[in-house]
PDB file of all heavy atoms in Angstrom:
ATOM      1  N   SER A  35     110.070 105.719 178.559  1.00 88.00           N
ATOM      2  CA  SER A  35     111.395 105.586 177.895  1.00 88.00           C
ATOM      3  C   SER A  35     112.161 106.910 177.957  1.00 88.00           C
ATOM      4  O   SER A  35     113.496 106.901 178.092  1.00 88.00           O
ATOM      5  CB  SER A  35     111.283 105.233 176.486  1.00 88.00           C
ATOM      6  OG  SER A  35     110.595 103.955 176.457  1.00 88.00           O
ATOM      7  N   VAL A  36     111.477 107.992 177.788  1.00 86.00           N
ATOM      8  CA  VAL A  36     112.209 109.374 177.781  1.00 86.00           C
ATOM      9  C   VAL A  36     112.900 109.658 179.033  1.00 86.00           C
ATOM     10  O   VAL A  36     114.082 110.038 179.027  1.00 86.00           O
ATOM     11  CB  VAL A  36     111.283 110.510 177.321  1.00 86.00           C
ATOM     12  CG1 VAL A  36     111.865 111.843 177.569  1.00 86.00           C
ATOM     13  CG2 VAL A  36     110.891 110.290 175.812  1.00 86.00           C
ATOM     14  N   PRO A  37     112.230 109.555 180.188  1.00 81.00           N
ATOM     15  CA  PRO A  37     113.043 109.781 181.429  1.00 81.00           C
ATOM     16  C   PRO A  37     114.165 108.804 181.720  1.00 81.00           C
ATOM     17  O   PRO A  37     115.177 109.173 182.215  1.00 81.00           O
ATOM     18  CB  PRO A  37     111.881 109.533 182.567  1.00 81.00           C
ATOM     19  CG  PRO A  37     110.526 109.771 181.894  1.00 81.00           C
ATOM     20  CD  PRO A  37     110.807 109.335 180.400  1.00 81.00           C
ATOM     21  N   MET A  38     114.017 107.585 181.275  1.00 84.00           N
ATOM     22  CA  MET A  38     114.994 106.600 181.438  1.00 84.00           C
ATOM     23  C   MET A  38     116.260 106.998 180.546  1.00 84.00           C
ATOM     24  O   MET A  38     117.390 106.790 180.996  1.00 84.00           O
ATOM     25  CB  MET A  38     114.602 105.142 181.106  1.00 84.00           C
ATOM     26  CG  MET A  38     113.614 104.524 182.192  1.00 84.00           C
ATOM     27  SD  MET A  38     114.316 104.573 183.810  1.00 84.00           S
ATOM     28  CE  MET A  38     115.716 103.405 183.615  1.00 84.00           C
ATOM     29  N   PHE A  39     115.983 107.368 179.360  1.00 89.00           N
ATOM     30  CA  PHE A  39     117.047 107.944 178.536  1.00 89.00           C
ATOM     31  C   PHE A  39     117.726 109.039 179.096  1.00 89.00           C
ATOM     32  O   PHE A  39     118.967 109.140 179.027  1.00 89.00           O
ATOM     33  CB  PHE A  39     116.500 108.220 177.144  1.00 89.00           C
ATOM     34  CG  PHE A  39     117.495 108.814 176.247  1.00 89.00           C
ATOM     35  CD1 PHE A  39     118.461 108.145 175.703  1.00 89.00           C
ATOM     36  CD2 PHE A  39     117.537 110.288 175.938  1.00 89.00           C
ATOM     37  CE1 PHE A  39     119.450 108.671 174.857  1.00 89.00           C
ATOM     38  CE2 PHE A  39     118.344 110.888 175.127  1.00 89.00           C
ATOM     39  CZ  PHE A  39     119.412 110.083 174.602  1.00 89.00           C
ATOM     40  N   MET A  40     117.015 110.013 179.707  1.00 84.00           N
ATOM     41  CA  MET A  40     117.604 111.161 180.332  1.00 84.00           C
ATOM     42  C   MET A  40     118.548 110.816 181.440  1.00 84.00           C
ATOM     43  O   MET A  40     119.641 111.302 181.704  1.00 84.00           O
ATOM     44  CB  MET A  40     116.571 112.242 180.702  1.00 84.00           C
ATOM     45  CG  MET A  40     115.792 112.822 179.655  1.00 84.00           C
ATOM     46  SD  MET A  40     116.819 113.579 178.400  1.00 84.00           S
ATOM     47  CE  MET A  40     117.475 115.013 179.323  1.00 84.00           C
ATOM     48  N   VAL A  41     118.062 109.801 182.332  1.00 83.00           N
ATOM     49  CA  VAL A  41     118.952 109.346 183.465  1.00 83.00           C
ATOM     50  C   VAL A  41     120.148 108.711 182.910  1.00 83.00           C
ATOM     51  O   VAL A  41     121.285 108.911 183.399  1.00 83.00           O
ATOM     52  CB  VAL A  41     118.089 108.393 184.295  1.00 83.00           C
ATOM     53  CG1 VAL A  41     118.983 107.671 185.316  1.00 83.00           C
ATOM     54  CG2 VAL A  41     117.020 109.082 185.001  1.00 83.00           C
ATOM     55  N   ALA A  42     120.077 107.824 181.939  1.00 86.00           N
ATOM     56  CA  ALA A  42     121.211 107.250 181.320  1.00 86.00           C
ATOM     57  C   ALA A  42     122.235 108.264 180.763  1.00 86.00           C
ATOM     58  O   ALA A  42     123.450 108.070 180.943  1.00 86.00           O
ATOM     59  CB  ALA A  42     120.859 106.227 180.295  1.00 86.00           C
ATOM     60  N   LEU A  43     121.656 109.272 180.074  1.00 89.00           N
ATOM     61  CA  LEU A  43     122.525 110.304 179.585  1.00 89.00           C
ATOM     62  C   LEU A  43     123.098 111.127 180.644  1.00 89.00           C
ATOM     63  O   LEU A  43     124.324 111.391 180.566  1.00 89.00           O
ATOM     64  CB  LEU A  43     121.742 111.271 178.659  1.00 89.00           C
ATOM     65  CG  LEU A  43     122.410 112.356 177.904  1.00 89.00           C
ATOM     66  CD1 LEU A  43     123.343 111.690 176.819  1.00 89.00           C
ATOM     67  CD2 LEU A  43     121.358 113.270 177.223  1.00 89.00           C
ATOM     68  N   ASP A  44     122.479 111.424 181.693  1.00 86.00           N
ATOM     69  CA  ASP A  44     123.056 112.097 182.792  1.00 86.00           C
ATOM     70  C   ASP A  44     124.176 111.345 183.472  1.00 86.00           C
ATOM     71  O   ASP A  44     125.159 111.869 183.804  1.00 86.00           O
ATOM     72  CB  ASP A  44     121.939 112.429 183.823  1.00 86.00           C
ATOM     73  CG  ASP A  44     122.284 113.467 184.793  1.00 86.00           C
ATOM     74  OD1 ASP A  44     122.812 114.366 184.374  1.00 86.00           O
ATOM     75  OD2 ASP A  44     121.974 113.212 186.008  1.00 86.00           O
ATOM     76  N   ASN A  45     123.972 109.985 183.609  1.00 85.00           N
ATOM     77  CA  ASN A  45     124.990 109.133 184.205  1.00 85.00           C
ATOM     78  C   ASN A  45     126.132 109.154 183.262  1.00 85.00           C
ATOM     79  O   ASN A  45     127.346 109.042 183.768  1.00 85.00           O
ATOM     80  CB  ASN A  45     124.501 107.726 184.428  1.00 85.00           C
ATOM     81  CG  ASN A  45     123.593 107.706 185.633  1.00 85.00           C
ATOM     82  OD1 ASN A  45     123.729 108.541 186.555  1.00 85.00           O
ATOM     83  ND2 ASN A  45     122.641 106.726 185.644  1.00 85.00           N
ATOM     84  N   LEU A  46     126.040 109.128 182.004  1.00 89.00           N
ATOM     85  CA  LEU A  46     127.131 109.167 181.084  1.00 89.00           C
ATOM     86  C   LEU A  46     128.002 110.435 181.172  1.00 89.00           C
ATOM     87  O   LEU A  46     129.167 110.355 181.088  1.00 89.00           O
ATOM     88  CB  LEU A  46     126.576 108.993 179.562  1.00 89.00           C
ATOM     89  CG  LEU A  46     127.683 109.116 178.522  1.00 89.00           C
ATOM     90  CD1 LEU A  46     128.572 107.886 178.573  1.00 89.00           C
ATOM     91  CD2 LEU A  46     126.995 109.248 177.166  1.00 89.00           C
ATOM     92  N   VAL A  47     127.346 111.625 181.381  1.00 90.00           N
ATOM     93  CA  VAL A  47     128.053 112.814 181.592  1.00 90.00           C
ATOM     94  C   VAL A  47     128.835 112.773 182.872  1.00 90.00           C
ATOM     95  O   VAL A  47     130.025 113.197 182.881  1.00 90.00           O
ATOM     96  CB  VAL A  47     127.019 113.968 181.594  1.00 90.00           C
ATOM     97  CG1 VAL A  47     127.666 115.294 182.052  1.00 90.00           C
ATOM     98  CG2 VAL A  47     126.363 114.175 180.240  1.00 90.00           C
ATOM     99  N   VAL A  48     128.292 112.253 183.943  1.00 89.00           N
ATOM    100  CA  VAL A  48     129.074 112.172 185.186  1.00 89.00           C
ATOM    101  C   VAL A  48     130.162 111.160 185.069  1.00 89.00           C
ATOM    102  O   VAL A  48     131.326 111.542 185.459  1.00 89.00           O
ATOM    103  CB  VAL A  48     128.106 111.634 186.294  1.00 89.00           C
ATOM    104  CG1 VAL A  48     128.872 111.339 187.599  1.00 89.00           C
ATOM    105  CG2 VAL A  48     127.054 112.803 186.639  1.00 89.00           C
ATOM    106  N   SER A  49     130.005 110.048 184.398  1.00 88.00           N
ATOM    107  CA  SER A  49     131.101 109.052 184.209  1.00 88.00           C
ATOM    108  C   SER A  49     132.214 109.720 183.405  1.00 88.00           C
ATOM    109  O   SER A  49     133.394 109.432 183.545  1.00 88.00           O
ATOM    110  CB  SER A  49     130.623 107.823 183.464  1.00 88.00           C
ATOM    111  OG  SER A  49     129.684 107.236 184.359  1.00 88.00           O
ATOM    112  N   THR A  50     131.836 110.547 182.350  1.00 92.00           N
ATOM    113  CA  THR A  50     132.867 111.103 181.437  1.00 92.00           C
ATOM    114  C   THR A  50     133.598 112.132 182.172  1.00 92.00           C
ATOM    115  O   THR A  50     134.801 112.419 182.073  1.00 92.00           O
ATOM    116  CB  THR A  50     132.207 111.792 180.207  1.00 92.00           C
ATOM    117  OG1 THR A  50     131.395 110.794 179.612  1.00 92.00           O
ATOM    118  CG2 THR A  50     133.086 112.407 179.298  1.00 92.00           C
ATOM    119  N   ALA A  51     133.008 112.951 183.246  1.00 92.00           N
ATOM    120  CA  ALA A  51     133.772 113.939 183.904  1.00 92.00           C
ATOM    121  C   ALA A  51     134.562 113.421 185.043  1.00 92.00           C
ATOM    122  O   ALA A  51     135.370 114.161 185.618  1.00 92.00           O
ATOM    123  CB  ALA A  51     132.620 114.832 184.473  1.00 92.00           C
ATOM    124  N   LEU A  52     134.459 112.133 185.415  1.00 93.00           N
ATOM    125  CA  LEU A  52     135.332 111.564 186.419  1.00 93.00           C
ATOM    126  C   LEU A  52     136.820 111.705 186.213  1.00 93.00           C
ATOM    127  O   LEU A  52     137.528 112.078 187.203  1.00 93.00           O
ATOM    128  CB  LEU A  52     134.907 110.070 186.671  1.00 93.00           C
ATOM    129  CG  LEU A  52     133.640 109.791 187.395  1.00 93.00           C
ATOM    130  CD1 LEU A  52     133.298 108.363 187.539  1.00 93.00           C
ATOM    131  CD2 LEU A  52     133.575 110.505 188.776  1.00 93.00           C
ATOM    132  N   HIS A  53     137.324 111.547 185.109  1.00 93.00           N
ATOM    133  CA  HIS A  53     138.746 111.755 184.801  1.00 93.00           C
ATOM    134  C   HIS A  53     139.159 113.173 185.111  1.00 93.00           C
ATOM    135  O   HIS A  53     140.108 113.347 185.740  1.00 93.00           O
ATOM    136  CB  HIS A  53     139.077 111.358 183.404  1.00 93.00           C
ATOM    137  CG  HIS A  53     140.570 111.546 183.050  1.00 93.00           C
ATOM    138  ND1 HIS A  53     141.504 110.731 183.602  1.00 93.00           N
ATOM    139  CD2 HIS A  53     141.127 112.388 182.305  1.00 93.00           C
ATOM    140  CE1 HIS A  53     142.687 111.099 183.158  1.00 93.00           C
ATOM    141  NE2 HIS A  53     142.478 112.178 182.289  1.00 93.00           N
ATOM    142  N   THR A  54     138.394 114.130 184.571  1.00 94.00           N
ATOM    143  CA  THR A  54     138.699 115.529 184.817  1.00 94.00           C
ATOM    144  C   THR A  54     138.676 115.884 186.364  1.00 94.00           C
ATOM    145  O   THR A  54     139.511 116.566 186.900  1.00 94.00           O
ATOM    146  CB  THR A  54     137.765 116.419 184.074  1.00 94.00           C
ATOM    147  OG1 THR A  54     137.795 116.051 182.724  1.00 94.00           O
ATOM    148  CG2 THR A  54     138.154 117.841 184.181  1.00 94.00           C
ATOM    149  N   LEU A  55     137.667 115.287 187.045  1.00 91.00           N
ATOM    150  CA  LEU A  55     137.649 115.522 188.502  1.00 91.00           C
ATOM    151  C   LEU A  55     138.823 114.911 189.187  1.00 91.00           C
ATOM    152  O   LEU A  55     139.380 115.590 190.078  1.00 91.00           O
ATOM    153  CB  LEU A  55     136.298 114.841 189.122  1.00 91.00           C
ATOM    154  CG  LEU A  55     135.048 115.616 188.759  1.00 91.00           C
ATOM    155  CD1 LEU A  55     133.841 114.756 189.278  1.00 91.00           C
ATOM    156  CD2 LEU A  55     135.044 116.997 189.557  1.00 91.00           C
TER     157      LEU A  55
END
Side-chain angles (χ1 to χ4, degrees):
S35 299
V36 170
M38 289 302 297
F39 172 74
M40 294 304 293
V41 168
L43 184 66
D44 196 45
N45 287 334
L46 177 67
V47 170
V48 171
S49 298
T50 305
L52 283 178
H53 177 70
T54 306
L55 284 170

